Amino acid sequence: MRGLVLKSTGKWYEVLAEDGEHWQCRIRGKFRMKGLRTTNPISVGDHVIFEDEESEGRGVIKEIEARKNYIIRKSVNLSKEAHIVASNVDQAFLFATVKLPRTSVGFIDRFLVTAEAYSIKAIVVFNKIDLLDEEGKEELGFLVKTYESVGYEVRQISAETGEGTQELYDELAGKTNMLTGHSGVGKSTFVNKTNPGLNIKTDEISELYKKGKHTTTNAEMHILDNGGYIIDTPGIKGFGIVDIPKNELHHYFPEMFALLPDCKFHNCLHIGEPKCAVKVAVENGQVPESRYKSYTTMYSDDEDETYRSGY
Ligand code: GDP
Ligand code: ZN
């Protein structure tokens, strides 16, 4: 049978079979994916083939289907090994707010870079638009323009008043989604209002984590009424960690990478090289200044040769 891993608790995996039945599955003996050293062989979001264990509702996982992508976290003790937080993520929505709290562009850009590195489609959702006065609306308009101009999709909603929420909810249908963003930006309000049966409490979970009660937390998939899935990653900020060599960092700013052929040097890093097309584009407003600033800030982050994302 084929199924989707919804949750892992130690040895057992909760698997949703294609017919809608839930199974408790385990693996037998050694089970390792080739080429990847991980602390967990199977993660939430994996598609697996499993067999009935001749005990009701219990099965044995025989095979994992190839992953489209996966997000990882470096394990604390074994630095070479990674923990797969979730796999086969279709899209990630970053919840951001102009007010209460204010989300910085640096934070948004770090999220976008990480999504690029993981090859996950990223969408920026500005929530709490009901709170904005004229000045706030202007600022929002500027941010929307900034991100749309570099090729990202942007949504504007109010989870409180319901403006734009149904449309956003419809986008989650049939997909595996990550909802992320600072605490207090309205993720749980959005989910609970569009999908009342679910009752996700993101704050409560992260509070527990902060107090150190959950040193290892496992991701979990919630099933939405519309057939979509939301990956809940308690205690893990955003995407976890991905290391990007500094000299490749500009590949993850699509609007800058697109200009590379126009730079004088084929290996231009756009940091002060002569005849740099990115520099020119920033000066004439084609590349948003805030994006370039995020790039240079990330580039000069630490002395290291790698940028350790985790936003
Ligand atoms: P989370 O930590 O991202 O899950 O944020 P919550 O959903 O817990 O929301 C934090 C606070 O913001 C709550 O008091 C919500 O009622 C409020 N909130 C959420 N969305 C909106 C919105 O669109 N407008 C306004 N005015 N408040 C909102
Ligand atoms: Zn350049």
Side-chain angles (χ1 to χ4, degrees), residues 107-123:
F107 182 78
I108 297 174
D109 291 333
R110 290 202 298 280
F111 160 80
L112 292 172
V113 162
T114 314
E116 293 288 342
Y118 278 128
S119 303
I120 295 173
K121 180 183 173 179
I123 298 119

Side-chain angles (χ1 to χ4, degrees), residues 246-258:
K246 287 266 174 81
N247 61 3
E248 287 176 16
L249 186 58
H250 65 129
H251 298 193
Y252 304 104
F253 285 81
E255 76 279 25
M256 296 182 208
F257 191 50

Side-chain angles (χ1 to χ4, degrees), residues 127-131 157-161 182-190 202-203:
N127 185 32
K128 305 198 187 184
I129 57 171
D130 59 293
L131 292 178
I157 69 161
S158 167
E160 194 70 32
T161 68
H182 287 307
S183 170
V185 293
K187 300 178 294 295
S188 20
T189 305
F190 165 73
T202 55
D203 270 354

Side-chain angles (χ1 to χ4, degrees), residues 250 256 259-260 262-265 267-280 292:
H250 65 129
M256 296 182 208
L259 290 170
L260 181 63
D262 301 335
C263 293
K264 180 175 185 211
F265 299 107
N267 57 354
C268 186
L269 297 173
H270 330 301
I271 298 276
E273 293 92 337
K275 298 201 172 151
C276 167
V278 170
K279 256 290 165 57
V280 173
Y292 184 68

